[in-house]
């Protein structure tokens, strides 16, 4: 089980990312677009750098949806490898079978 403070901090980051996502996309488009002037690009870069660091989507950590474990995350299930194995053996993950050969 992860610390509750780390889980809460990550949720706060998700909310920040969501709040700034549209404006960040606009600014990045201005920077990327070849028709933008140098002054527009500079202004967009400055505004982007003034935004909070947690507004970047790369700062959000994928965590196990059950207990918040940050390592060994499996996107397909939204669980960590440990929890996915437990639930697969218990039969809670449809379509997942234990392999044997």
């Amino acid at each position: 089980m992860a610390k509750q403070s780390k889980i809460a901090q990550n949720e706060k980051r998700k909310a920040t990312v969501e709040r700034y996502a549209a404006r960040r996309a606009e600014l990045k488009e201005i920077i990327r677009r070849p028709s933008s002037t140098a002054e527009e690009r500079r202004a967009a870069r400055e505004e982007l750098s003034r935004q909070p660091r947690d507004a970047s989507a790369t700062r959000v950590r994928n965590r196990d949806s059950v207990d918040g474990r940050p390592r060994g995350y499996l996107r397909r299930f939204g669980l960590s490898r440990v929890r996915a194995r437990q639930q697969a053996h218990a039969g809670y993950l449809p379509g997942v079978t234990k392999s044997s050969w």
Side-chain angles (χ1 to χ4, degrees):
M1 183 74 184
K3 289 172 63 173
Q4 292 300 310
S5 60
K6 291 290 185 181
I7 294 170
Q9 185 180 34
N10 201 48
E11 293 303 316
K12 188 177 173 185
R13 276 192 185 122
K14 284 181 185 177
T16 305
V17 167
E18 190 176 328
R19 187 169 54 247
Y20 285 92
R23 185 60 183 155
R24 284 182 69 86
E26 290 173 13
L27 294 171
K28 287 187 174 199
E29 176 60 27
I30 291 170
I31 293 168
R32 187 196 63 78
R33 197 173 40 223
S35 61
S36 298
T37 65
E39 183 60 31
E40 287 174 334
R41 281 196 185 102
R42 188 187 61 74
R45 273 198 313 271
E46 285 179 4
E47 186 177 339
L48 202 57
S49 69
R50 281 194 306 267
Q51 288 185 348
R53 295 179 89 183
D54 283 346
S56 174
T58 58
R59 307 254 311 177
V60 175
R61 182 84 164 138
N62 288 330
R63 290 182 171 271
D64 185 320
S65 59
V66 177
D67 63 4
R69 188 178 204 280
R71 305 280 182 113
Y73 178 81
L74 302 175
R75 260 186 211 176
R76 181 175 178 184
F77 306 111
L79 302 169
S80 68
R81 61 181 175 78
V82 176
R83 186 70 54 179
R85 185 171 188 267
Q86 287 173 349
Q87 291 194 3
H89 285 308
Y92 295 135
L93 301 178
V96 177
T97 56
K98 183 177 178 183
S99 74
S100 62
W101 60 92

